[in-house]
């Protein structure tokens, strides 16, 4: 039913012969009124939800800042976790550990994810069987994006930590799995120099955990220089050498030494064990579907006319992808990568499964197979303790984690904008 109101619509132009002046004529219906009401209610609902989210976030930030601001000191950023003295406990090893793990995650997930997206979007098959295979892969990638991260943690535990025990089992105080390079095995023996001075004897048989030195043998000092280790027998009546340098190259007859290993930063073994390398690769599994889907959406946003123009100039498929599609989609790909890395640095569940909940570590990783502590695991540990000091430390650590996350995102956004301008 048509009604007449005083609210002007359509510029207020009245039909000829109605008698209304310009700007005083409008026609509305019950249906249009209802639609306008629903539209306004939906707008108010969106505003309310957005405001509620901002208020909740603000309350959380204020609460965390109020509880943890007193612990935002240099000790928090420089020291390591302390069981005996929580007042001086810090999170420096966890900051270094999180950065190393995120680095491994980015190096493995981003190239693989972007490459997969390019293959799925730019090199779509034409035959029916391959089309079905393409759809099957696409469906599985979409489903994997919704899998809980702890499931990826269990997968990483079997795949990277133990490698299904194909290369041997990780055991305490024994040679682990199959060592590839970056490690040297010795026996460590006390010399006559005293003060804990030791010499190293190359270990030929790794199954022999100890050695008893009864005769001169080849040894090396801490600088790696080889020399012949002398023996002093107290029962022979020969006086103990008095020269300090000779004492450093002499051991008592029958002196027992234990196994000792020196590793380089590139030490690598199979399986990886509870190492930051295994944790980083596990996190790459978590974010890989996100990177693939975001990169696919970015590639789909590239106008087809750009590709057609490239083909028209005689470019090949690969040249079109490299010079046209990928540069045009790079800002969108960077956006997906930023979101994915933001999720990776805050993940605790897969790290707990792969590395465990230990936080007693005083430094960052020394080699590829070294264990690390991450910020989410340290926060999880501190937040579960009853002492008020650890509760404050947990709140302060959350602030540091947010700051590190914002810093990483800022750098990534800057790079994205720079690429877009270029």
């Amino acid at each position: 039913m048509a009604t007449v109101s005083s609210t002007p619509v359509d510029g207020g132009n009245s039909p000829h012969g109605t008698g209304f002046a310009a700007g005083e004529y409008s026609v509305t219906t019950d249906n249009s009124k209802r639609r306008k009401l629903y539209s306004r209610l939906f707008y108010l609902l969106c505003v309310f939800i957005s405001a509620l989210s901002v208020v909740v976030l603000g309350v959380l930030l204020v609460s965390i800042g109020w509880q943890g601001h007193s612990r935002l000191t240099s000790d928090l950023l420089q020291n390591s976790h302390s069981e005996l003295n929580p007042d001086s406990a810090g999170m420096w090893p966890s900051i270094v550990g999180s950065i190393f793990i995120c680095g491994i995650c980015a190096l493995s997930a981003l190239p693989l994810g972007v490459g997969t997206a390019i293959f799925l979007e730019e090199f779509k098959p034409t035959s029916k069987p391959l089309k079905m295979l393409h759809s099957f892969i696409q469906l599985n990638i979409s489903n994997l994006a919704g899998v809980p991260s702890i499931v990826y943690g269990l997968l990483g535990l079997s795949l990277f930590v133990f490698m299904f025990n194909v290369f041997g089992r990780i055991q305490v105080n024994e040679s682990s799995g199959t060592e590839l390079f970056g490690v040297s095995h010795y026996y460590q023996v006390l010399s006559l120099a005293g003060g804990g001075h030791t010499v190293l004897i190359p270990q030929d048989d790794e199954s022999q955990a100890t050695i008893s030195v009864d005769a001169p043998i080849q040894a090396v000092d801490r600088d790696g220089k080889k020399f012949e280790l002398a023996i002093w027998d107290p029962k022979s009546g020969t006086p103990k050498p008095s020269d300090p340098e000779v004492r450093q190259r002499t051991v008592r007859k029958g002196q027992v030494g234990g196994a000792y290993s020196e590793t380089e930063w590139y030490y690598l073994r199979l399986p990886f064990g509870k190492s930051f390398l295994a944790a980083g690769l596990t996190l790459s599994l978590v974010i890989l579907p996100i990177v693939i889907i975001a990169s696919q959406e970015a590639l789909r946003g590239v106008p087809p006319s750009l590709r057609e123009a490239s083909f028209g100039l005689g470019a090949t498929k690969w040249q079109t992808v490299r010079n046209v599609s990928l540069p045009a989609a790079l800002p969108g790909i960077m956006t997906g990568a930023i979101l994915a890395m933001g999720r990776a640095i805050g993940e605790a569940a897969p790290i707990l499964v792969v590395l465990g909940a230990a936080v007693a570590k005083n430094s960052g990783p020394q080699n590829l197979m070294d264990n690390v502590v991450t910020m989410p695991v340290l926060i999880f540990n501190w937040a579960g303790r009853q002492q008020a000091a650890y509760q404050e430390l947990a709140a302060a650590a959350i602030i540091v984690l947010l700051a590190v996350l914002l810093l990483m995102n800022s750098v990534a956004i800057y790079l994205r904008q720079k690429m877009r301008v270029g």
Side-chain angles (χ1 to χ4, degrees):
M1 180 180 68
T3 60
V4 178
S5 71
S6 59
T7 303
V9 297
D10 297 334
N13 298 322
S14 59
H16 179 70
T18 57
F20 289 94
E24 296 181 350
Y25 179 83
S26 66
V27 178
T28 60
T29 63
D30 292 340
N31 187 37
S32 65
K33 283 184 176 179
R34 187 166 56 251
R35 287 190 292 108
K36 289 180 180 178
L37 177 62
Y38 288 162
S39 176
R40 186 159 187 81
L41 289 177
F42 180 72
Y43 170 76
L44 293 176
L45 179 64
C46 294
V47 172
F48 173 74
I49 293 175
S50 301
L52 182 62
S53 304
V54 173
V55 169
V56 171
L57 179 61
V59 170
L60 286 175
L61 292 177
V62 170
S63 175
I64 293 171
W66 181 263
Q67 189 176 9
H69 74 281
S70 61
R71 304 308 300 267
L72 289 173
T73 62
S74 58
D75 288 343
L76 180 69
L77 301 178
Q78 296 176 356
N79 297 346
S80 59
H81 168 73
S82 174
E83 294 283 349
L84 301 178
N85 190 10
D87 292 334
S88 63
M91 56 183 302
W92 172 247
S94 65
I95 296 175
V96 177
S98 291
I99 293 175
F100 269 82
I101 286 181
C102 287
I104 294 293
C105 177
L107 289 176
S108 56
L110 298 184
L112 184 60
V114 174
T116 304
I118 292 174
F119 173 72
L120 292 175
E121 284 300 316
E122 301 292 335
F123 297 91
K124 291 181 179 178
T126 54
S127 63
K128 188 174 180 180
L130 291 180
K131 280 185 177 179
M132 294 177 63
L133 178 61
H134 181 277
S135 301
F136 178 75
I137 294 174
Q138 185 66 58
L139 178 63
N140 278 278
I141 290 174
S142 302
N143 290 332
L144 286 174
V147 173
S149 58
I150 194 169
V151 177
Y152 287 105
L154 295 173
L155 175 62
L157 185 70
S158 301
L159 180 59
F160 301 120
V161 176
F162 297 117
M163 291 186 176
F164 308 105
N165 294 329
V166 172
F167 300 97
R169 305 188 64 174
I170 302 296
Q171 298 178 355
V172 179
N173 297 328
E174 292 187 13
S175 298
S176 302
T178 303
E179 294 175 324
L180 300 180
F181 46 78
V183 61
S184 301
H185 298 285
Y186 299 99
Y187 294 111
Q188 188 170 232
V189 185
L190 281 172
S191 69
L192 295 181
H197 182 270
T198 60
V199 295
L200 302 177
I201 300 174
Q203 184 181 17
D204 298 326
D205 185 6
E206 296 181 6
S207 61
Q208 185 179 348
T210 60
I211 187 175
S212 178
V213 183
D214 297 318
I217 191 173
Q218 284 290 326
V220 295
D221 58 17
R222 291 293 176 178
D223 296 328
K225 297 179 180 178
K226 294 183 179 180
F227 64 92
E228 185 174 272
L229 187 64
I231 303 297
W232 174 68
D233 187 359
K235 296 180 181 179
S236 64
T238 305
K240 184 184 292 186
S242 58
D243 187 352
E245 293 187 1
V246 176
R247 285 193 175 203
Q248 290 180 0
R249 296 169 179 264
T250 307
V251 300
R252 184 188 297 270
K253 184 177 182 181
Q255 183 71 47
V256 177
Y260 169 77
S261 299
E262 280 191 350
T263 56
E264 305 292 341
W265 68 267
Y266 52 84
Y267 169 48
L268 186 65
R269 71 171 178 231
L270 298 176
F272 295 148
K274 293 182 178 296
S275 62
F276 84 92
L277 182 61
L281 292 175
T282 302
L283 278 184
S284 70
L285 296 179
V286 177
I287 70 169
L288 189 58
I290 302 174
V291 176
I292 294 175
I293 293 174
S295 301
Q296 283 187 279
E297 292 297 332
L299 289 169
R300 287 172 191 158
V302 178
S305 58
L306 294 179
R307 297 185 179 89
E308 293 168 0
S310 177
F311 292 140
L313 293 174
T316 63
K317 190 77 173 179
W318 163 239
Q319 288 173 328
T320 301
V321 171
R322 186 184 62 184
N323 299 323
V324 178
S325 302
L326 191 56
L330 204 53
I333 294 174
M334 288 291 292
T335 302
I338 293 170
L339 296 175
M341 293 308 299
R343 178 180 176 180
I345 197 174
E347 281 288 352
I351 300 299
L352 285 171
V353 173
V354 173
L355 297 181
V359 295
K361 190 170 178 62
N362 297 324
S363 63
Q366 304 300 313
N367 56 66
L368 293 176
M369 298 292 99
D370 201 358
N371 198 346
V372 295
V373 181
T374 61
M375 287 189 282
V377 173
L378 185 64
I379 294 171
F380 172 78
N381 183 289
W382 282 350
R385 295 173 182 252
Q386 298 298 325
Q387 298 95 322
Y390 283 117
Q391 297 292 327
E392 295 174 356
L393 282 171
I398 291 173
I399 297 173
V400 175
L401 175 60
L402 290 175
V404 173
L405 177 61
L406 290 176
L407 179 62
M408 291 176 56
N409 286 350
S410 300
V411 172
I413 291 172
Y414 170 75
L415 294 176
R416 184 186 64 182
Q417 294 298 329
K418 192 173 182 179
M419 292 177 181
R420 177 178 293 175
V421 171

